[in-house]
Amino acid sequence: MRVIFLLFLMFSLGCEKIEKIFLEEDILDRPPSKRCSECHTKIYSQWKDSRHSVAWISEDFIKKTENRTKTKCLSCHAPLEVKAVKKPELRNKLREEGVNCFSCHYRGDTNSIHGPYRVFSPPHYSTYDPDYISSKICAGCHEKTYLKWKESGSVKNCQDCHMPAKKERLIQKFPFTYFHSKKNLHNHSFPSLKADEKDFLINFSIKQNFILMKIKNIKIPHTIPTSQQGSPKYYITITGYKHNKKILEERFMLTPKNGLEPKKWKSFDLFVDDKPNKISIKIDRKLSWSKKKEEILKKDFYFD
Amino acid sequence: MRLFVLFILMSIFSVSYGKNIKLRDLPKELSNYYPPKSEKMEFVELMHTLSVSITGVVSNIKEGDWQNAEKWAKRLQENYLKIGKMVKKWDKLLKKEDMEKLVNAVKSKDKAGSMEFVQNISKSCVQCHKNYQLSAKIKFHSPNFNKTQIEDPVSGLEYSIEDYMKAMTNDMKMMRIHLIDGQKNKARKSGFNFIKRFEGMTQMCKDCHTTKKDEEIYFGIEANKRITALREAVANGELIQIKKQLKWISQNNCSKCHNVHQTLYLLKERFGSK
């Protein structure tokens, strides 16, 4: 019944007037993200589980910035407005929400919510913004990763991997849920994803007591590990055996500074007193905010 | 007589060579106005405001612009008194009466009187800076390395900065020793460990040196080239090449960073924790 009434209103008054009748002005005043959850329940709950939602209150961030006193770090952890390829300004209110709904979607200059769709959204003004389907929107804060991605020439953008989409309704609140057809709802938990064996080529060559190990990142279109400022790490452990007897153990630590760049071989030199007939390689990773190592791959190589 | 002269000379020399820098303990409340307790360097900001204000007073008096001189004198007074409110111990060191007299002298356009009180107030600034500025610089204006932990790429353990540096320099020394002793395999192991640890340093540097330009200073394209060349020289056991690359690295990385950070770090270690 309500929908029919709305449709009747739309026909008789036109969309512009409807927008004004249903406008909830506080939404355009950067309220707490909880306010958005009234309609965008799914997106809100995904964001709640994301690192973006704890960007300001994360223990690691507080420690690394000496109680948030390294001022140049702050604006990306509580941005006022996230814009394409531009470092944001630090906002004054609700910093504890980190990178919240309004950081990414509200723009003062248009006084509207920006996003990747042209939508009729009576409670707030909306602006279709193509930046949201481009990696550029992430580049203001994730500049280093963005530049490596750009160099890689990948056709996939940041959102393709870190905001995977599912056909769903943007809004869960009645009657607005029926205002739009189902759309690609991008995951706002921003999963960090985990590489695996198929993402790498690994090559060993042995000459006398010299082992050359080469690893190529063939699929991930940015350096691994990557970060703007955090300390994610990859650990490569090489164990060499001669007739089941361990004769070599060597480890390498990769940081964003010396990580595996897309489509480039990285070489590692190893020396042994005796030539091994089996080499095991194990790659682990540790995310920036985590103390736990996770296994990426484990593989054995045999030699005559 | 000769002995007496010698004694006098010795006293003079011992006095002239006996200059010790004394780092005064700072009032505890001062740390409320510096990171990490404060998000800003509020005390330094106050000092800058005072410095601008006093220049504003003097320059306007000299130009005979008494209206603006009064504006700056009032601003100076307001901010000067803030020192005592922020750090109680320093309240009694302030020349509040002279400050009041300065404002009045400016109001009555008394040039000689104004300059006399400006000088008296300046003396209180100079005295305080003489006693505390060095301590404050060491305590609040230099990075705190004593809690820094670096993950050692060789052992996988967390090291203090001192232990990490020791391990890294030891690798470098052992590489040279083994090479000179003709033990190429051992030299390679030490050399590669040195390179791993050297590259691992960036874990710490990048926390403060965040931009591309900063990175270029502590680990730029040239440093990368040198490390690649060093790796090759280590693999082939070429002592002359190793020395050449190490020389560049020690001049452009080790010395540069030490010159900026080590002196302050050592002073801070002795004093800054108080």
Side-chain angles (χ1 to χ4, degrees):
Chain A
M1 186 62 196
R2 283 186 225 183
V3 179
I4 295 166
F5 175 66
L6 265 170
L7 286 170
F8 168 74
L9 278 176
M10 279 161 73
F11 272 113
S12 53
L13 298 169
C15 287
E16 233 172 71
K17 283 193 177 160
I18 290 276
E19 266 194 344
K20 283 198 176 139
I21 291 171
F22 287 96
L23 188 68
E24 295 172 31
E25 278 176 11
D26 70 300
I27 295 177
L28 300 172
D29 195 26
R30 299 188 175 102
S33 297
K34 189 85 187 137
R35 179 75 173 89
C36 310
S37 76
E38 291 169 21
C39 289
H40 303 283
T41 319
K42 272 192 184 155
I43 291 176
Y44 174 80
S45 66
Q46 288 169 346
W47 167 80
K48 250 322 216 183
D49 287 337
S50 73
R51 296 301 303 172
H52 278 172
S53 74
V54 292
W56 187 260
I57 55 171
S58 133
E59 248 179 66
D60 204 47
F61 165 68
I62 295 169
K63 194 178 152 197
K64 288 259 178 174
T65 55
E66 292 184 16
N67 197 21
R68 305 182 186 113
T69 54
K70 288 185 182 171
T71 48
K72 61 183 164 185
C73 307
L74 307 186
S75 68
C76 279
H77 287 259
L80 180 68
E81 288 185 12
V82 171
K83 290 175 185 167
V85 209
K86 198 178 169 197
K87 196 175 175 188
E89 279 175 37
L90 174 65
R91 68 169 183 271
N92 288 323
K93 66 174 195 176
L94 293 168
R95 287 183 184 176
E96 66 282 4
E97 285 198 354
V99 186
N100 69 1
C101 304
F102 292 92
S103 302
C104 293
H105 291 284
Y106 177 75
R107 293 285 172 77
D109 55 357
T110 58
N111 188 31
S112 67
I113 303 294
H114 285 225
Y117 298 118
R118 290 179 208 280
V119 285
F120 171 59
S121 54
H124 57 74
Y125 302 123
S126 286
T127 303
Y128 163 71
D129 191 334
D131 283 347
Y132 286 77
I133 47 170
S134 147
S135 294
K136 284 181 187 168
I137 195 76
C138 314
C141 288
H142 301 276
E143 189 196 3
K144 288 177 187 166
T145 309
Y146 169 76
L147 291 174
K148 280 289 164 198
W149 167 83
K150 213 174 158 189
E151 252 179 58
S152 80
S154 171
V155 287
K156 282 188 174 180
N157 62 20
C158 304
Q159 294 88 330
D160 287 336
C161 296
H162 297 284
M163 293 186 82
K166 233 180 170 182
K167 278 259 184 266
E168 280 193 64
R169 298 212 180 266
L170 296 180
I171 295 161
Q172 280 68 49
K173 191 182 179 183
F174 182 84
F176 304 114
T177 188
Y178 298 111
F179 272 31
H180 328 110
S181 57
K182 283 187 179 178
K183 291 189 165 39
N184 276 336
L185 185 75
H186 289 272
N187 191 329
H188 281 65
S189 71
F190 307 94
S192 51
L193 306 185
K194 199 175 148 196
D196 60 34
E197 203 180 318
K198 68 179 184 316
D199 296 316
F200 305 100
L201 282 181
I202 303 170
N203 198 309
F204 281 97
S205 57
I206 307 179
K207 248 188 203 171
Q208 291 167 339
N209 58 351
F210 173 66
I211 303 173
L212 178 68
M213 175 179 71
K214 285 163 88 180
I215 304 180
K216 189 178 184 181
N217 161 15
I218 50 171
K219 286 199 175 165
I220 299 161
H222 55 71
T223 306
I224 344 173
T226 186
S227 81
Q228 186 66 16
Q229 256 325 110
S231 308
K233 281 165 192 156
Y234 263 54
Y235 302 91
I236 304 171
T237 312
I238 307 295
T239 319
Y241 301 89
K242 176 102 181 180
H243 308 306
N244 293 328
K245 190 187 165 203
K246 197 201 278 186
I247 57 164
L248 161 77
E249 190 172 77
E250 187 80 44
R251 71 177 83 220
F252 297 94
M253 186 177 82
L254 302 181
T255 64
K257 183 85 190 142
N258 67 343
L260 301 166
E261 293 187 27
K263 294 173 188 166
K264 281 186 187 168
W265 286 102
K266 188 171 175 72
S267 302
F268 303 84
D269 302 328
L270 298 110
F271 280 86
V272 275
D273 295 329
D274 205 356
K275 188 182 166 185
N277 55 10
K278 179 186 156 188
I279 292 176
S280 300
I281 178 169
K282 187 172 177 275
I283 302 182
D284 297 292
R285 77 161 184 192
K286 194 164 74 179
L287 293 170
S288 199
W289 62 89
S290 173
K291 289 192 168 48
K292 204 179 75 185
K293 280 185 188 172
E294 301 166 88
E295 188 177 298
I296 297 289
L297 69 87
K298 209 173 172 183
K299 211 174 169 183
D300 294 334
F301 292 81
Y302 294 90
F303 306 90
D304 298 331
Chain B
M1 186 61 190
R2 277 183 192 172
L3 269 175
F4 179 72
V5 172
L6 190 65
F7 174 75
I8 295 291
L9 280 173
M10 277 173 71
S11 318
I12 292 167
F13 278 110
S14 64
V15 169
S16 51
Y17 284 103
K19 278 182 186 170
N20 289 320
I21 297 170
K22 278 190 180 171
L23 295 172
R24 286 210 184 205
D25 285 341
L26 296 161
K28 274 186 184 164
E29 320 138 77
L30 191 63
S31 62
N32 293 332
Y33 309 104
Y34 285 96
K37 282 190 184 170
S38 168
E39 283 187 12
K40 291 185 276 179
M41 291 191 137
E42 288 163 273
F43 203 82
V44 173
E45 283 172 16
L46 179 67
M47 292 297 113
H48 292 162
T49 310
L50 284 167
S51 178
V52 172
S53 304
I54 207 157
T55 308
V57 175
V58 173
S59 62
N60 280 303
I61 290 172
K62 280 182 182 169
E63 293 205 359
D65 184 346
W66 291 102
Q67 201 182 345
N68 273 326
E70 192 182 329
K71 179 185 78 191
W72 284 107
K74 281 179 180 169
R75 201 170 284 180
L76 178 67
Q77 183 181 36
E78 185 194 334
N79 286 296
Y80 186 74
L81 297 178
K82 276 185 193 166
I83 297 172
K85 284 175 192 154
M86 289 165 96
V87 184
K88 277 190 187 132
K89 191 184 170 184
W90 288 346
D91 191 53
K92 58 179 183 285
L93 305 176
L94 299 176
K95 298 198 169 164
K96 292 179 191 174
E97 270 181 36
D98 285 336
M99 191 69 245
E100 189 64 41
K101 284 175 186 168
L102 169 66
V103 173
N104 290 332
V106 172
K107 270 183 190 169
S108 53
K109 299 178 183 174
D110 170 8
K111 191 173 180 177
S114 298
M115 293 311 277
E116 187 193 329
F117 298 124
V118 163
Q119 274 195 356
N120 291 349
I121 292 156
S122 298
K123 273 179 198 165
S124 72
C125 304
V126 170
Q127 192 57 39
C128 194
H129 286 169
K130 205 172 159 188
N131 288 336
Y132 296 107
Q133 197 178 26
L134 183 58
S135 303
K137 285 278 176 202
I138 291 165
K139 192 172 167 78
F140 300 117
H141 295 253
S142 64
N144 197 356
F145 289 104
N146 61 3
K147 284 180 188 163
T148 303
Q149 292 278 310
I150 313 180
E151 188 174 339
D152 179 32
V154 177
S155 65
L157 301 171
E158 293 272 326
Y159 280 5
S160 70
I161 179 99
E162 279 184 354
D163 288 344
Y164 193 93
M165 290 291 175
K166 269 183 207 160
M168 187 172 65
T169 45
N170 202 45
D171 287 333
M172 186 189 63
K173 288 185 277 188
M174 287 317 294
M175 170 176 58
R176 296 175 79 156
I177 290 167
H178 289 317
L179 267 179
I180 291 165
D181 293 350
Q183 295 182 310
K184 278 194 174 179
N185 283 351
K186 283 185 178 176
R188 280 184 193 125
K189 194 160 181 57
S190 300
F192 287 138
N193 284 349
F194 168 74
I195 293 169
K196 281 184 196 174
R197 285 178 167 135
F198 181 74
E199 288 182 329
M201 290 278 295
T202 57
Q203 294 173 77
M204 173 181 64
C205 308
K206 67 147 190 58
D207 281 349
C208 294
H209 302 286
T210 54
T211 66
K212 234 181 155 53
K213 271 189 187 168
D214 288 348
E215 271 185 21
E216 193 51 45
I217 294 168
Y218 74 83
F219 205 98
I221 296 165
E222 190 58 32
N224 251 319
K225 275 187 198 163
R226 299 289 176 162
I227 279 291
T228 308
L230 178 65
R231 190 178 281 122
E232 222 175 282
V234 170
N236 299 325
E238 297 162 338
L239 188 57
I240 294 170
Q241 269 304 311
I242 290 174
K243 278 184 179 171
K244 189 181 163 189
Q245 305 311 332
L246 279 179
K247 190 181 174 191
W248 190 94
I249 290 165
S250 64
Q251 283 173 349
N252 291 278
N253 289 86
C254 311
S255 302
K256 248 187 214 173
C257 299
H258 286 174
N259 287 345
V260 173
H261 293 296
Q262 198 179 29
T263 314
L264 280 169
Y265 167 70
L266 293 172
L267 284 167
K268 202 177 176 102
E269 274 293 283
R270 296 233 175 142
F271 166 74
S273 56
K274 281 183 184 175

